[in-house]
Amino acid sequence: MMLIEETAPAAEALPVAALRGHLRLAQGFDGPDDAAEATALAGFLRAAIATIEGRTGKVLLKRRFRMQLDDWRDRLGQSLPLAPVHSVERIEIDDGAGTVTVLPAESWRLVRDAQRPIILPAGVILPNVPRLGFVTVTFTAGFGDSWADVPADLAQAVILLAARYYDDRGGDSARHALPFGVSALIEKWRAVRTLAGRGSREWR
């Protein structure tokens, strides 16, 4: 499986003000409110969001992804590796020789599940993928467009982790293990996920 993030979280959606306030309260941070500071804090937030999303499989801010598989994992239904999935925009099958077929929207349906969204065939099974071909699924996932849409515990975990990254800037020790408070906040969101595609396996 190859998963590509086609769009990034909008800069204005990042909780820079919340992180600045947290750092001022906990660390006595009161640097100048300028573009350089905002850019640096946004970088720590993006790193923290990526870490939380990687540990939970939950997309915090809505954006578009493209998943490419060399075959369906199960032709009775293909699970998606991220949640919550807002919509599936397009499913294409490439025969490996340059011919691309877009599957009609009426030939499949999306089951929105908080842990494991799945694409089900409208009929019995999903269409065949040629031996040398591949299937590409383009979908949008995320809790919402603004930070207010992110569940409170996940939002707080991001702020705490971004603050840790700020405190430990200049070293990389903090990036190898999550602080206990962050782990506790995200624990209920962690789920065993099934990677999609031939040769995949379950993982945490």
Side-chain angles (χ1 to χ4, degrees):
M1 181 190 76
M2 181 168 63
L3 185 65
I4 299 171
E5 182 178 326
E6 292 198 324
T7 56
E12 59 270 19
L14 298 175
V16 173
L19 177 58
R20 183 183 289 118
H22 176 85
L23 290 169
R24 183 179 297 119
L25 175 64
Q27 305 294 336
F29 175 78
D30 58 357
D33 183 9
D34 58 16
E37 173 195 282
T39 299
L41 295 181
F44 293 125
L45 285 167
R46 289 185 187 278
I49 288 171
T51 298
I52 298 302
E53 291 183 340
R55 296 297 183 97
T56 63
K58 304 300 181 292
V59 181
L60 305 189
L61 291 169
K62 190 185 297 183
R63 52 202 193 273
R64 189 171 63 251
F65 297 85
R66 187 171 77 251
M67 178 180 71
Q68 183 176 304
L69 313 166
D70 59 357
D71 200 359
W72 306 109
R73 177 173 174 83
D74 187 341
R75 290 184 68 186
L76 295 176
Q78 175 63 56
S79 61
L80 295 172
L82 301 173
V85 172
H86 176 74
S87 63
V88 173
E89 282 78 37
R90 189 169 61 256
I91 302 178
E92 303 168 309
I93 294 180
D94 190 312
D95 67 357
T99 299
V100 177
T101 301
V102 179
L103 300 188
E106 60 270 18
S107 68
W108 52 269
R109 65 186 179 93
L110 169 67
V111 178
R112 293 179 175 86
D113 184 86
Q115 295 295 338
R116 190 172 297 171
I118 189 169
I119 296 170
L120 294 178
V124 179
I125 57 176
L126 293 166
N128 178 61
V129 178
R131 185 173 63 86
L132 299 179
F134 56 90
V135 58
T136 301
V137 180
T138 302
F139 64 97
T140 299
F143 287 104
D145 294 308
S146 72
W147 196 247
D149 298 319
V150 178
D153 45 3
L154 292 178
Q156 181 64 12
V158 168
I159 296 297
L160 293 177
L161 189 57
R164 170 62 69 87
Y165 288 166
Y166 172 84
D167 289 340
D168 293 329
R169 63 196 182 282
D172 61 357
S173 59
R175 297 177 187 264
H176 298 300
L178 292 183
F180 175 77
V182 174
S183 296
L185 285 167
I186 69 173
E187 181 58 33
K188 77 172 186 178
W189 295 97
R190 298 184 66 184
V192 175
R193 291 178 286 157
T194 302
L195 287 179
R198 191 176 292 145
S200 60
R201 60 187 177 86
E202 290 190 345
W203 67 294
R204 269 193 184 270

